[in-house]
Amino acid sequence: MFLILLIASTFTQGLTIVSHGNSFITAFPENLAYFYPFTSSIILTVTALHEDTSFTVYFNNTQRTIPNLQRGATTKVMFPKTAEVHQLNFSTNSIRITSTKNVVVQSFSQTGTGTILEKSVQTSVVQPITNLGTDYLIPPLKQLDLIQTFGGSPAPFSSQRYSSFKLIIINAEDTENNITIVKNISGSVQEENFTIPSYQLIQLQANASLFKVKSNHKVAVILTHPCLEMTACKCNMIVNQILPTEFHGQNFVVPYIPGITQSRLLMTSNERSTSLSHSNVQLQPSSSGLLSLSFQTKSQYVNASGNVSLKLISPGLFVEVIPENMFAACYLLQVYSDVKNALVIAETGSKTNVHNQNSPVTNAAWTEITGTKYSSAIIPLTEQYTFIWHPSSKIAVYILENIGTTVYGGPAIPINDQPDELGCVVIPGQFEVKNEPLNWTESLAHCTSLQSQLACLTKEDIQMELANMINTTEDEEAWIGLRRSLMTTDWYWQRTPSTTPLPSSSVDYIHWADGQPLDKSKGLCASLSLDREDAFKWKSAKCCEKKRPVCYKPPTVLTALTSGVTQNIS
Ligand SMILES: *[C@@H]1O[C@H](CO)[C@@H](O)[C@H](O)[C@H]1NC(C)=O
Ligand SMILES: *[C@@H]1O[C@H](CO)[C@@H](O)[C@H](O)[C@H]1NC(C)=O
Ligand SMILES: *[C@@H]1O[C@H](CO)[C@@H](O)[C@H](O)[C@H]1NC(C)=O
Ligand SMILES: *[C@@H]1O[C@H](CO)[C@@H](O)[C@H](O)[C@H]1NC(C)=O
Ligand SMILES: *[C@@H]1O[C@H](CO)[C@@H](O)[C@H](O)[C@H]1NC(C)=O
Ligand SMILES: *[C@@H]1O[C@H](CO)[C@@H](O)[C@H](O)[C@H]1NC(C)=O
Ligand SMILES: *[C@@H]1O[C@H](CO)[C@@H](O)[C@H](O)[C@H]1NC(C)=O
Ligand SMILES: *[C@@H]1O[C@H](CO)[C@@H](O)[C@H](O)[C@H]1NC(C)=O
Ligand SMILES: *[C@@H]1O[C@H](CO)[C@@H](O)[C@H](O)[C@H]1NC(C)=O
Ligand SMILES: *[C@@H]1O[C@H](CO)[C@@H](O)[C@H](O)[C@H]1NC(C)=O
């Protein structure tokens, strides 16, 4: 889930703000296993974004392939309790997933039955390997101070097992990986090196001294605590996949989470001098290093002097705050408990255009966030699987669930970064110049026969997209869907033969070459230059001329989500 311009386009490979991919690696941290060994579930959910997707799960030297998923189908993969990483040091308990087409993966751990006090639940988005890195900054965690900051007291069973956060470092590649962890112990910087075999992992104790992880090859880094003791014998598991430094940001809308009365910010940055401000007032750290928020009961905008990662911390809750430059257009949400909400941050001017699946959200109570162009709202969720999107601007979406009085959750899964009025895009629209020279009418029919349309460049954005996508230098013209009415001589766009021509619809955006269009006797159709030196400008032409058509395949959007079968891995 993230950046100013690292990824302007969904077509680029590599790091993206979206969390789908075809290769994933993760591990299940220990969740109170010691006390409740028999009442747990540990699950990975895999949601297919494309038709006919298969995926394979690799665990404990076995592999299982789940074939033929439909777009939007979610498969629950259940793992045995033994999959949990419950000891320090090296382990082979990593889980890998590869798929034939892009999927998203979320992990879910729950332990405890009976009284809700014993329950501990966490969900976490599993990042695709494309979003992993080799440099990670570890947040400074002082467990005792942290508990005391929130008025709690340390666990009565202060065994080493529960006295610190742990860090799981997973080698994401099929090769030996040299890892260096960097500690600053009382001002002296020390390094420790480990070599992790292919796809294996190491679990370490983390404290405020351990501040950096570096590696030769990509690693996944998970920060975890099996039972963060807070108050009244209540604890909750923490799972937080740390994102590489490329995902840091400077501006954040810190969400207000209803029901949470004390929350603070944990900031991680490369520079010790980095500060965080709200309305130009610097936020001050407590002894635990946590920063105090200006308001406890409303969402607020904060601004760092450099790139940082921010986590919102409250007893039992550990939420990654989505930087503004990583807001996205569409998010997938998977929920598990009965009390489930989405917290959405959207631009105030277009907030009523936030959609939940196929309809605009109409019943949300929006609150403006002071000093920003944003508003936030809590949207109750009724479905276990849903997607929330915006047709024209980027938004941030968090999932919040309750068990008893404990709130858990975090960012939803971003699946598309660029807004599109058609919906939640999983395959972007594609322009393609076909090979056969045809007349204009035949071109229209030809594109249609390919489940495509003759290209209609109705906005500058679309013209730019075409220019970027085809980027040719051919000294040639190609047909687009622009023509003029025989009667009125007005220009209009026509995509397909079946569409009723709309000569009344005005052509607002134009990109004619100099001196174009010629008068109607010299041509009723329009073509586009295939030469980028000519800026892909348009010319009028006779419709009977043979030119190659520029076809446009509209984007594929998510329409429905379904629950697939549950698979047990033993
Ligand atoms: C891996 O499988 C073996 C037997 O096939 C089993 O004894 C062992 O407990 C499994 N390990 C884990 C971590 O589940
Ligand atoms: C970790 O494992 C390695 C080898 O597997 C062993 O040499 C080392 O002593 C272990 N360290 C601890 C702290 O258990
Ligand atoms: C990893 O470290 C080992 C020594 O621990 C060294 O022999 C090897 O060359 C290193 N590999 C890389 C890729 O740096
Ligand atoms: C290590 O910690 C000391 C304070 O204890 C600080 O002055 C120094 O800048 C730190 N070094 C690094 C590399 O973070
Ligand atoms: C750890 O590895 C790095 C290179 O990856 C090397 O520069 C450093 O000296 C090593 N540190 C120790 C303590 O071996
Ligand atoms: C963190 O743990 C190391 C041992 O790994 C210890 O030397 C150091 O003092 C601890 N730091 C803090 C801040 O507790
Ligand atoms: C962000 O912080 C800087 C100072 O670090 C300040 O100059 C700037 O106005 C702030 N921007 C906003 C939008 O608050
Ligand atoms: C923050 O990161 C972005 C992209 O990673 C970079 O372009 C920008 O210059 C960074 N800002 C600062 C203040 O370092
Ligand atoms: C088009 O291709 C040229 C040469 O391959 C490249 O330099 C240019 O950046 C490309 N333009 C776009 C918009 O992709
Ligand atoms: C295009 O060619 C078809 C025959 O292939 C013909 O019927 C049609 O009239 C032609 N259209 C134009 C505008 O020339």
Side-chain angles (χ1 to χ4, degrees):
M1 343 227 149
F2 307 114
L3 42 133
I4 293 186
L5 253 192
L6 263 173
I7 264 302
S9 127
T10 5
F11 315 110
T12 322
Q13 287 295 307
L15 186 76
T16 69
I17 76 163
V18 295
S19 297
H20 54 61
N22 57 19
S23 185
F24 298 79
I25 194 159
T26 192
F28 283 104
E30 176 188 326
N31 180 9
L32 282 180
Y34 187 75
F35 293 106
Y36 303 100
F38 304 114
T39 56
S40 67
S41 1
I42 50 178
I43 296 171
L44 289 181
T45 53
V46 180
T47 305
L49 299 179
H50 302 281
E51 292 298 338
D52 197 19
T53 302
S54 303
F55 70 89
T56 303
V57 182
Y58 300 83
F59 169 65
N60 195 17
N61 295 319
T62 61
Q63 66 184 71
R64 167 88 63 88
T65 297
I66 290 96
N68 306 331
L69 298 163
Q70 304 290 299
R71 173 178 312 118
T74 297
T75 307
K76 272 190 188 175
V77 185
M78 317 256 306
F79 291 86
K81 187 74 187 174
T82 49
E84 284 191 357
V85 179
H86 56 88
Q87 280 173 339
L88 296 177
N89 219 341
F90 293 97
S91 159
T92 56
N93 274 14
S94 69
I95 297 165
R96 271 197 310 133
I97 291 189
T98 62
S99 57
T100 54
K101 297 175 185 170
N102 284 344
V103 298
V104 293
V105 179
Q106 179 164 278
S107 81
F108 169 83
S109 313
Q110 172 181 309
T111 294
T113 53
T115 74
I116 47 173
L117 284 185
E118 295 164 348
K119 262 194 182 173
S120 164
V121 185
Q122 259 319 310
T123 57
S124 146
V125 178
V126 179
Q127 292 295 331
I129 287 176
T130 47
N131 284 356
L132 304 181
T134 56
D135 280 286
Y136 291 87
L137 292 176
I138 309 304
L141 292 157
K142 299 181 190 162
Q143 170 151 337
L144 280 184
D145 292 352
L146 197 138
I147 293 169
Q148 278 156 7
T149 298
F150 292 113
S153 47
F157 46 87
S158 288
S159 64
Q160 200 197 27
R161 191 178 204 105
Y162 296 112
S163 63
S164 79
F165 284 88
K166 291 176 185 69
L167 210 55
I168 296 179
I169 304 171
I170 312 169
N171 179 2
E173 298 190 28
D174 189 10
T175 175
E176 263 190 10
N177 199 346
N178 287 354
I179 318 281
T180 302
I181 59 166
V182 190
K183 296 180 178 178
N184 185 348
I185 298 175
S186 319
S188 121
V189 175
Q190 301 172 9
E191 290 190 345
E192 267 179 69
N193 292 340
F194 308 90
T195 301
I196 308 184
S198 299
Y199 302 135
Q200 294 191 18
L201 61 85
I202 187 165
Q203 177 163 240
L204 306 164
Q205 269 182 297
N207 65 15
S209 301
L210 201 174
F211 71 100
K212 197 180 269 190
V213 171
K214 300 185 288 190
S215 57
N216 288 136
H217 302 283
K218 283 184 171 183
V219 288
V221 180
I222 298 172
L223 181 68
T224 176
H225 196 291
C227 169
L228 192 57
E229 189 76 12
M230 289 302 181
T231 47
C233 248
K234 196 172 76 176
C235 71
N236 206 26
M237 178 197 198
I238 300 296
V239 180
N240 184 269
Q241 180 162 4
I242 298 180
L243 297 167
T245 48
E246 293 93 317
F247 289 82
H248 289 190
Q250 268 189 278
N251 303 314
F252 299 81
V253 177
V254 180
Y256 162 57
I257 298 174
I260 297 293
T261 50
Q262 20 170 7
S263 57
R264 293 184 188 236
L265 291 172
L266 177 62
M267 177 173 77
T268 314
S269 76
N270 219 351
E271 300 289 332
R272 296 179 79 85
S273 59
T274 309
S275 64
L276 195 68
S277 307
H278 168 78
S279 302
N280 293 322
V281 177
Q282 209 165 308
L283 304 186
Q284 295 304 321
S286 62
S287 61
S288 57
L290 297 182
L291 299 165
S292 299
L293 283 158
S294 303
F295 306 103
Q296 281 297 336
T297 55
K298 57 183 190 177
S299 297
Q300 56 214 287
Y301 192 71
V302 299
N303 174 339
S305 57
N307 284 326
V308 302
S309 104
L310 273 195
K311 297 175 208 308
L312 181 69
I313 306 226
S314 173
L317 188 71
F318 222 79
V319 175
E320 190 77 33
V321 183
I322 307 171
E324 190 182 13
N325 53 324
M326 289 172 196
F327 282 17
C330 175
Y331 294 81
L332 192 83
L333 294 87
Q334 303 183 341
V335 291
Y336 299 89
S337 67
D338 297 334
V339 185
K340 55 213 186 217
N341 295 294
L343 190 157
V344 180
I345 293 163
E347 289 185 14
T348 303
S350 60
K351 62 184 191 291
T352 53
N353 234 339
V354 169
H355 284 61
N356 185 353
Q357 300 210 36
N358 303 316
S359 331
V361 175
T362 51
N363 57 351
W366 290 93
T367 309
E368 263 189 60
I369 302 167
T370 320
T372 74
K373 60 179 178 185
Y374 297 107
S375 292
S376 68
I378 296 286
I379 298 176
L381 300 175
T382 49
E383 316 279 337
Q384 188 181 7
Y385 305 118
T386 190
F387 55 93
I388 290 182
W389 59 281
H390 196 286
S392 59
S393 61
K394 297 190 182 190
I395 58 177
V397 180
Y398 297 87
I399 299 173
L400 299 174
E401 299 189 67
N402 286 58
I403 35 164
T405 53
T406 303
V407 178
Y408 67 94
I413 311 174
I415 57 175
N416 179 26
D417 65 338
Q418 293 302 322
D420 193 301
E421 57 195 19
L422 291 179
C424 188
V425 172
V426 290
I427 307 175
Q430 291 283 349
F431 288 99
E432 200 181 341
V433 185
K434 294 296 173 188
N435 280 328
E436 309 84 317
L438 299 167
N439 72 30
W440 191 87
T441 332
E442 290 167 328
S443 293
L444 202 60
H446 182 64
C447 290
T448 311
S449 73
L450 301 168
Q451 276 81 51
S452 199
Q453 307 171 343
L454 198 53
C456 288
L457 311 172
T458 53
K459 287 190 221 162
E460 186 175 5
D461 291 2
I462 303 178
Q463 171 83 29
M464 301 280 288
E465 205 180 319
L466 171 138
N468 289 340
M469 212 179 285
I470 62 173
N471 200 12
T472 45
T473 49
E474 290 158 43
D475 181 17
E476 200 187 321
E477 311 286 325
W479 286 128
I480 53 175
L482 184 61
R483 61 166 307 159
R484 61 177 143 191
S485 157
L486 209 51
M487 305 291 176
T488 65
T489 76
D490 289 336
W491 289 97
Y492 64 92
W493 290 106
Q494 185 174 355
R495 293 168 203 276
T496 57
S498 56
T499 309
T500 319
L502 296 170
S504 60
S505 68
S506 61
V507 172
D508 298 325
Y509 170 71
I510 51 170
H511 194 59
W512 294 111
D514 285 350
Q516 292 287 335
L518 302 175
D519 74 56
K520 71 166 177 178
S521 65
K522 303 218 174 69
L524 289 171
C525 289
S527 65
L528 165 118
S529 162
L530 288 181
D531 189 354
R532 66 166 175 260
E533 310 278 302
D534 290 341
F536 304 97
K537 294 232 169 166
W538 312 342
K539 288 180 184 161
S540 58
K542 293 204 155 118
C543 305
C544 59
E545 287 173 22
K546 303 261 182 193
K547 297 178 193 295
R548 292 156 68 197
V550 186
C551 297
Y552 176 67
K553 194 171 254 220
T556 304
V557 297
L558 266 190
T559 50
L561 296 169
T562 53
S563 35
V565 274
T566 298
Q567 302 283 337
N568 279 296
I569 304 277
S570 49

